[in-house]
Amino acid sequence: MFSRRQKHILLKFFSLFSVIRGYNILIIIIAQYLTAVYILAHDLPLREVVFDLYLFMLVLASSATIAGGYIINSFYDSEKDLINRPIKSQLDRLVSQNTKLSFYFLLNFIAVIMASYVSFRAVIFFSLYIFGIWLYSHKLKKLPFIGNLTSAILTITPFFAIFIYYRNFETVIFVHATFLFLIISMRELTKDLENIKGDLVQNYHTIPVVYGEKASKIMLTVLTLLTLIPSYLVLYKFEIGHMYLFFYTCILLLVVFLLLLWLSKTKTHYLILHNILKFIIVAGVFSILLINVDLVLSRIF
């Protein structure tokens, strides 16, 4: 049995893990490595990629920066989250705001130290990334369009760091990135619909608040249709192995998404739509393995 103090420490740990969304960071780490192995450095031996210390430092720097970003975002959204996510908010509040801020600065410091091991340009890159996350959390997220665009860009930035490191400029990479950017943009707008009540109370000028739910649904429909362009290009213009299964499944899920979108009226409905998009993103990470299921085995030796 745990003592009272041990239970208190354990609750604090889970609270902090909830704030930094450790499960999301784990997915991002896996996604960065799979992207490096299968897409950005597919012509290099597996050992050389997996045990690349510079890549490891970039991934750690990305993880620390993202964790810090979740903390500062939680710091500024604490009042709104009480309305939109009351249960999660109660868990997050087990850690004081001062403790959160201390971890925020510590994580950012660690990120810069990790980046300094790679190069001075990496330090500049992550310093700008940290500043961008703070500016978004403090100011930009309250603005329509700019907030959504900034959030989508910040989400794919960790992959941009790996992209710059390997300097792989193959067209298929930009097509994949465009598809991911569109899905993330859809997720952000769907989140705004889901959280419209808290945004109204806290005076956040999101797209649903400023232009209404119908206009937001029209924008989501346009974004959904736009995803068909990179999907078509990836399926019919490039060699992606068995990953075609993922894209065909995505098209089916996006059709379901559109049908449900125009029937949605409540927070629960929008939560379902949000989860569909989250599933597509997470499934997309692991579907990278389908590009060539024999690739890892053939590159071990």
Side-chain angles (χ1 to χ4, degrees):
M1 293 292 292
F2 292 108
S3 66
R4 187 172 181 178
R5 177 176 173 77
Q6 288 173 326
K7 288 180 181 178
H8 181 71
I9 293 173
L10 196 60
L11 280 173
K12 292 273 189 179
F13 171 79
F14 282 119
S15 175
L16 191 60
F17 187 83
S18 173
V19 170
I20 67 170
R21 301 186 189 180
Y23 42 87
N24 281 358
I25 293 174
L26 179 60
I27 293 295
I28 291 171
I29 291 172
I30 294 171
Q32 284 181 296
Y33 268 104
L34 288 178
T35 301
V37 170
Y38 277 85
I39 300 176
L40 296 175
H42 58 83
D43 55 339
L44 296 178
L46 178 64
R47 292 178 184 273
E48 188 175 327
V49 178
V50 173
F51 296 107
D52 185 339
L53 189 56
Y54 292 124
L55 175 61
F56 181 64
M57 289 298 177
L58 286 175
V59 170
L60 285 183
S62 298
S63 301
T65 304
I66 294 166
Y70 281 129
I71 289 175
I72 200 66
N73 192 59
S74 172
F75 179 84
Y76 284 116
D77 280 355
S78 58
E79 297 301 320
K80 188 181 80 166
D81 287 342
L82 278 173
I83 301 170
N84 292 328
R85 300 180 181 87
I87 297 176
K88 184 180 185 301
S89 183
Q90 288 178 9
L91 177 62
D92 293 352
R93 282 172 173 257
L94 292 176
V95 176
S96 69
Q97 296 288 62
N98 286 336
T99 302
K100 289 178 184 177
L101 282 179
S102 297
F103 269 100
Y104 168 71
F105 289 114
L106 176 62
L107 286 167
N108 287 335
F109 176 74
I110 290 172
V112 173
I113 293 299
M114 296 292 184
S116 68
Y117 185 85
V118 180
S119 69
F120 179 71
R121 285 186 299 178
V123 171
I124 298 299
F125 179 90
F126 280 98
S127 296
L128 291 174
Y129 187 28
I130 291 167
F131 175 75
I133 290 175
W134 171 82
L135 185 62
Y136 164 77
S137 300
H138 178 59
K139 203 84 173 177
L140 300 182
K141 72 180 303 179
K142 298 180 180 181
L143 304 176
F145 295 107
I146 295 175
N148 297 74
L149 180 63
T150 304
S151 178
I153 292 172
L154 290 172
T155 301
I156 65 172
T157 297
F159 299 96
F160 191 63
I162 310 299
F163 167 76
I164 293 174
Y165 176 62
Y166 284 111
R167 298 182 183 181
N168 187 333
F169 302 102
E170 294 178 20
T171 306
V172 66
I173 294 170
F174 293 98
V175 178
H176 276 284
T178 301
F179 176 82
L180 178 61
F181 178 80
L182 289 170
I183 293 294
I184 291 172
S185 298
M186 290 172 60
R187 189 195 66 173
E188 292 302 318
L189 185 49
T190 304
K191 277 170 58 180
D192 288 342
L193 283 167
E194 181 188 343
N195 299 327
I196 190 170
K197 185 177 179 181
D199 290 338
L200 275 167
V201 173
Q202 295 299 317
N203 200 30
Y204 279 41
H205 297 97
T206 60
I207 292 174
V209 170
V210 176
Y211 299 100
E213 290 188 42
K214 185 176 180 180
S216 301
K217 289 181 179 182
I218 292 172
M219 292 178 201
L220 276 169
T221 302
V222 172
L223 287 171
T224 303
L225 295 175
L226 286 175
T227 61
L228 297 177
I229 299 174
S231 296
Y232 171 80
L233 292 174
V234 168
L235 284 168
Y236 297 104
K237 300 296 181 180
F238 302 102
E239 179 57 50
I240 58 169
H242 290 88
M243 197 179 180
Y244 73 88
L245 296 170
F246 164 74
F247 281 97
Y248 280 126
T249 303
C250 275
I251 293 171
L252 179 61
L253 285 173
L254 289 173
V255 170
V256 173
F257 176 88
L258 272 184
L259 293 174
L260 292 177
L261 173 65
W262 288 98
L263 296 173
S264 297
K265 295 179 181 179
T266 66
K267 179 181 174 69
T268 302
H269 294 156
Y270 293 126
L271 178 61
I272 292 170
L273 295 174
H274 183 196
N275 286 333
I276 289 174
L277 296 175
K278 280 178 69 175
F279 174 79
I280 289 175
I281 293 171
V282 175
V285 170
F286 293 100
S287 71
I288 295 174
L289 291 164
L290 297 174
I291 292 177
N292 188 344
V293 292
D294 298 320
L295 184 60
V296 173
L297 291 176
S298 64
R299 288 164 63 187
I300 289 178
F301 303 103

